[in-house]
Amino acid sequence: MDPNEVINGNQILAECLKQQGVEYVFGIVGIPVIELSLAFQQVGLHYVGMRNEQSAAYAAQAIGYLTRKPAVCLVVSGPGLLHVMGGMANAQVNCWPLLVIGGSCSVDHEGIGGFQECPQVELSRPYCKYAARPASPILIPQHVEKAFRVATYGRPGVCYLDFPGNLLNANCKREDLAYPKPCPPPPLCYPDPKFIDKAARQLMYSKRPLVIIGKGAAYGCAEKEVWNFVTKTGLPFLATPMGKGVMPDSHHQSVAAARTAALLGADTIVLLGARLNWMLHFGRPPRFNKNVYVIQIDLCAEELHNSVTSGVAIQSDIAVAVDSLIQQLSNWRYDDNSEWWNELRDKSAKNQLTVQAMMKDTSVPLNYYTVFHHMQQVIPKNCIIVSEGANTMDIGRGILLNNFPRHRLDAGTFGTMGVGPGFAIAAALWCKYNAPHKRVLCVEGDSAFGFSGMEIETMFRYKLGIVIVIVNNNGIYGGLDSNLWEEIRKDGKATIVSPPTSLTPNIHYEEMSNLCKGIGYFCNTIPQLQQALVNAFKTEDSPSIINVMINPSADRKPQTFAWLTESKL
């Protein structure tokens, strides 16, 4: 390269991202980042134009989760950055690496009412690990390397870099630039041996042990070590929603069907990259034994002892800690015929009988359980499943199986609706270049689909064969049937008496496929649904929408406890 070559901020930023190993950029262009998006393509980055900034952030963070390497979300100034805040918060709470790059108002226009003027660095700080604006083109490489490193080291998260229009267009000589070397992979964090020994001793004396496999184990690619640990020790296990697949859902040691009994009855719990937040009921009564002994393994020191005081708290990468535990427990195995195992098996069998009755009920209108059960019969066993919604996501989690790690993406810890299409686009792109034999199934509630439904056009534009199933109950949690809806409307009081959870009945979402000359399916029965799925998975270069109508009053099976542990204040 010519050291006297004059280059501008756009080219510098593009080259820096390429050098650090970024592969994908998702975004929406406008002033002042149009030229930047072209520079990204010129250096070989995959730029994917989305229809909404939140969806762009969801797609970029899903790439970060699947690859452990941040993708970029590119947004314009002002409203563009504000729209992406939901995506930034979701990635930060989920602990997924993400790099957001925002164009911003030129510096000389700040304070006098510049176009889309906004304090973007300050606004981003609550939702990320690092937020900065390079002071000159020469400093861009330094900030890019730091942002990439901070997003991936320790607990992964979000970084934001701000680029005013005049900075992107500013010039400097190539000889004035110092490009940092590519950021090496995060260093492994090894466990303290004395804590491993203490944890092993506790497990050997435990009468009612349980392993909980979290999203951190999936992100840490610890599936080999976790498999060895669970199978060699014979311990029962549960998975958190995105911990599914680290151990196959179909494995005989899974006690997912007896989740409530397992959590309440365990006297020792091994947490593998799982947090005791709302998703695990904070680790407290009435959902847990008040005297439960927690063996906590987590990469983040600040997470240790959070919510409850752990008996053993081990800061470590999951894989190396579990491998150390295996060595300590090499001559020990939990009794397969123990009272605890028999109790869990009995409870699982009883719960499965209850669910099986609902699965077999194919009467119209359909229920959630029969829809998911009959979907499971025909979908590819190795597909990546994206899911969001209320009951759609929660019920589907227990029936749609994941037997491979990092093959489930859902609303996650932040409970964010609208993530589905963005996640599905990211997963389909990853499959396209890394595992072309895999397919992506995106299972949406009708309300959830409404948040990001226009990303259908993005899927068509990039020829992504995503199969979208919309489980349609006419509302949020539940809606109204057509007759009751018309009764409300005919007296002219719909805006007053229509329940806030209601959506228009029998909306034909599948017709959105017609916008791009695709194929959609409207289903009321199980044979229609299964045939639609078979046909849809034969279509590899465009998305398919399957709109399956269910009973607006369909709900989950009766619960021992409410799904969300209530506050006691």
Side-chain angles (χ1 to χ4, degrees):
M1 293 184 181
D2 180 2
N4 292 315
E5 177 190 3
V6 175
I7 59 176
N8 65 19
N10 291 308
Q11 187 175 349
I12 296 168
L13 178 52
E15 290 179 0
C16 289
L17 292 171
K18 181 70 173 178
Q19 184 184 37
Q20 291 301 326
V22 171
E23 297 180 60
Y24 297 92
V25 179
F26 300 86
I28 297 178
V29 297
I31 296 172
V33 297
I34 296 174
E35 292 79 8
L36 178 58
S37 65
L38 297 173
F40 287 160
Q41 291 183 321
Q42 288 168 358
V43 300
L45 299 178
H46 296 295
Y47 177 81
V48 181
M50 305 288 283
R51 301 303 302 267
N52 178 278
E53 288 90 356
Q54 284 191 23
S55 291
Y58 299 145
Q61 65 194 256
I63 289 289
Y65 173 66
L66 292 169
T67 67
R68 303 187 70 185
K69 186 165 57 177
V72 167
C73 176
L74 176 67
V75 298
V76 300
S77 52
L81 188 279
L82 291 173
H83 288 171
V84 88
M85 290 293 182
M88 292 174 69
N90 189 72
Q92 186 73 356
V93 173
N94 260 353
C95 311
W96 291 356
L98 169 66
L99 179 54
V100 177
I101 290 175
S104 61
C105 168
S106 293
V107 173
D108 57 319
H109 290 175
E110 289 182 339
I112 57 173
F115 175 66
Q116 295 185 334
E117 180 182 348
C118 185
Q120 296 178 188
V121 175
E122 292 83 352
L123 285 171
S124 298
R125 285 201 173 104
Y127 308 104
C128 60
K129 297 176 70 178
Y130 175 67
R133 171 192 287 181
S136 72
I138 295 173
L139 294 176
I140 291 175
Q142 169 189 318
H143 283 280
V144 169
E145 187 280 333
K146 181 172 183 179
F148 191 95
R149 175 165 40 87
V150 171
T152 54
Y153 278 36
R155 173 182 276 177
V158 184
C159 290
Y160 173 72
L161 293 179
D162 192 65
F163 290 90
N166 58 325
L167 175 60
L168 292 173
N169 293 317
N171 296 320
C172 69
K173 289 185 178 181
R174 187 174 289 279
E175 66 179 357
D176 295 331
L177 294 167
Y179 285 89
K181 293 181 179 179
C183 177
L188 284 177
C189 179
Y190 283 81
D192 187 324
K194 67 176 180 289
F195 291 152
I196 292 292
D197 182 65
K198 186 177 180 182
R201 290 178 182 276
Q202 173 63 27
L203 277 173
M204 286 189 286
Y205 290 113
S206 173
K207 295 185 183 299
R208 302 164 71 85
L210 177 68
V211 177
I212 298 179
I213 303 168
K215 181 174 54 194
Y219 179 83
C221 300
E223 54 267 18
K224 178 183 176 182
E225 291 79 6
V226 173
W227 169 275
N228 289 337
F229 173 64
V230 172
T231 56
K232 288 181 179 179
T233 59
L235 294 170
F237 74 88
L238 287 173
T240 64
M242 274 185 278
K244 283 162 56 72
V246 174
M247 283 294 295
D249 282 344
S250 58
H251 195 277
H252 67 275
Q253 286 172 243
S254 171
V255 292
R259 183 180 187 271
T260 297
L263 295 179
L264 183 57
D267 63 8
T268 299
I269 288 177
V270 183
L271 285 177
L272 301 180
R275 292 176 282 177
L276 292 177
N277 53 25
W278 69 271
M279 298 183 79
L280 283 174
H281 317 288
F282 314 106
R284 300 175 182 177
R287 302 300 294 266
F288 284 73
N289 178 344
K290 66 178 181 179
N291 297 316
V292 66
Y293 189 102
V294 176
I295 298 169
Q296 186 180 16
I297 303 176
D298 201 284
L299 183 65
C300 179
E302 289 80 3
E303 190 61 39
L304 302 176
H305 303 296
N306 196 28
S307 185
V308 301
T309 301
S310 299
V312 185
I314 304 171
Q315 183 189 10
S316 174
D317 278 86
I318 302 299
V320 293
V322 169
D323 198 44
S324 298
L325 266 177
I326 293 170
Q327 294 175 35
Q328 286 287 339
L329 296 167
S330 59
N331 297 318
W332 176 82
R333 182 178 175 84
Y334 186 65
D335 183 4
D336 291 341
N337 292 312
S338 66
E339 180 182 345
W340 175 231
W341 252 125
N342 290 330
E343 181 181 328
L344 291 173
R345 290 188 186 109
D346 288 346
K347 189 65 176 176
S348 294
K350 290 177 182 177
N351 287 343
Q352 286 169 347
L353 284 174
T354 302
V355 171
Q356 285 169 4
M358 302 174 78
M359 290 177 176
K360 294 176 180 177
D361 178 10
T362 59
S363 60
V364 177
L366 301 171
N367 68 70
Y368 286 103
Y369 292 87
T370 197
V371 165
F372 294 132
H373 171 67
H374 289 89
M375 284 176 61
Q376 179 64 38
Q377 291 179 337
V378 297
I379 63 175
K381 304 309 178 188
N382 67 343
C383 65
I384 294 178
I385 299 175
V386 178
S387 185
E388 63 172 331
N391 290 339
T392 296
M393 180 177 65
D394 294 339
I395 298 172
R397 178 188 304 138
I399 301 173
L400 299 175
L401 303 182
N402 293 102
N403 289 324
F404 300 92
R406 296 169 297 283
H407 277 53
R408 179 180 174 86
L409 298 162
D410 69 20
T413 310
F414 210 37
T416 307
M417 292 297 104
V419 297
F423 282 0
I425 288 168
L429 285 169
W430 182 86
C431 290
K432 188 173 186 177
Y433 295 108
N434 297 279
H437 60 288
K438 287 188 185 293
R439 298 297 298 276
V440 176
L441 172 66
C442 184
V443 185
E444 300 273 305
D446 53 323
S447 171
F449 179 73
F451 283 79
S452 306
M454 272 311 299
E455 297 302 337
I456 288 291
E457 187 275 329
T458 308
M459 298 175 190
F460 274 103
R461 193 170 1 117
Y462 291 98
K463 297 184 176 181
L464 302 176
I466 298 164
V467 177
I468 300 173
V469 176
I470 301 171
V471 183
N472 190 345
N473 69 349
N474 300 337
I476 304 167
Y477 300 105
L480 304 175
D481 62 33
S482 298
N483 292 333
L484 185 54
W485 175 258
E486 291 303 326
E487 283 294 319
I488 290 174
R489 289 170 61 82
K490 74 180 182 181
D491 63 10
K493 297 180 180 179
T495 57
I496 300 173
V497 299
S498 178
T501 57
S502 295
L503 300 174
T504 305
N506 302 325
I507 288 289
H508 283 258
Y509 296 104
E510 77 285 353
E511 292 189 2
M512 290 183 68
S513 290
N514 297 332
L515 300 175
C516 300
K517 299 181 181 179
I519 301 175
Y521 305 87
F522 185 80
C523 307
N524 286 300
T525 69
I526 291 303
Q528 290 173 343
L529 171 62
Q530 290 194 323
Q531 187 59 57
L533 283 165
V534 171
N535 294 342
F537 276 107
K538 290 178 182 177
T539 305
E540 298 184 358
D541 60 354
S542 64
S544 301
I545 302 177
I546 301 171
N547 182 18
V548 54
M549 301 303 303
I550 67 168
N551 190 333
S553 300
D555 203 349
R556 66 189 76 193
K557 70 179 181 68
Q559 304 290 303
T560 304
F561 295 98
W563 70 273
L564 180 63
T565 301
E566 299 296 334
S567 171
K568 294 181 174 60
L569 295 179

